[in-house]
Amino acid sequence: MLNKENKITVVMSVYNHEEHVGFAIESVINQTHKNLEFIIINDGSKDSSLRVIKKYKKLDSRIIVVDQDNIGLTKSLNVGIKLSTGDYIARQDADDRSSLNRLEKQLEIVKKFDLDII
């Protein structure tokens, strides 16, 4: 049964997005739905993306960081999915900015229409 206690895993792969990744992270950790884990895969970035990610990891214990050699987006996302402990998985790109109630609204839609994916 879906409720506000449902844990959502947000999975994001990052490759050379130092300019945007901080905004993407903030838009997830500031969600109105607080029961989440945020798995961020640094996919071999050559810029300072990992430094930015680690800065946010120090601020929020819900962030899980995986630092790996570059294997590409799809394989990186699969790494995150395998580590997921949430009831649901949400995707975030490193240059996305989610509205602050995104996860809450998506959970409402899942419940209302008994969906498996949106």
Side-chain angles (χ1 to χ4, degrees):
M1 177 170 205
L2 182 67
N3 59 53
K4 290 192 182 231
E5 299 305 314
N6 283 114
K7 184 177 183 181
I8 299 173
T9 300
V10 179
V11 179
M12 180 172 73
S13 178
V14 179
Y15 181 74
N16 294 340
H17 274 286
E18 67 186 2
E19 293 179 30
H20 305 284
V21 71
F23 295 111
I25 293 170
E26 287 179 20
S27 76
V28 172
I29 63 176
N30 292 321
Q31 287 290 303
T32 55
H33 183 87
K34 301 296 184 193
N35 190 11
L36 61 88
E37 69 181 352
F38 191 6
I39 300 174
I40 305 173
I41 297 97
N42 180 56
D43 191 29
S45 294
K46 308 244 185 280
D47 64 3
S48 64
S49 293
L50 182 59
R51 182 177 51 81
V52 174
I53 295 164
K54 286 182 175 181
K55 177 183 88 170
Y56 284 97
K57 167 65 177 148
K58 288 180 184 178
L59 299 173
D60 196 313
S61 63
R62 299 173 298 171
I63 296 174
I64 300 163
V65 179
V66 176
D67 185 29
Q68 65 185 26
D69 291 334
N70 183 266
I71 60 173
L73 178 62
T74 304
K75 289 179 182 177
S76 293
L77 294 175
N78 284 331
V79 168
I81 290 168
K82 287 178 185 173
L83 294 173
S84 168
T85 63
D87 300 308
Y88 295 92
I89 297 173
R91 273 272 295 115
Q92 176 90 359
D93 283 326
D95 59 352
D96 285 350
R97 292 187 196 185
S98 292
S99 63
L100 294 180
N101 63 351
R102 169 196 168 192
L103 298 177
E104 181 180 343
K105 292 293 184 185
Q106 288 177 322
L107 278 174
E108 287 174 11
I109 292 168
V110 165
K111 182 177 182 180
K112 182 176 182 178
F113 296 105
D114 194 27
L115 302 174
D116 293 322
I117 189 169
I118 57 173

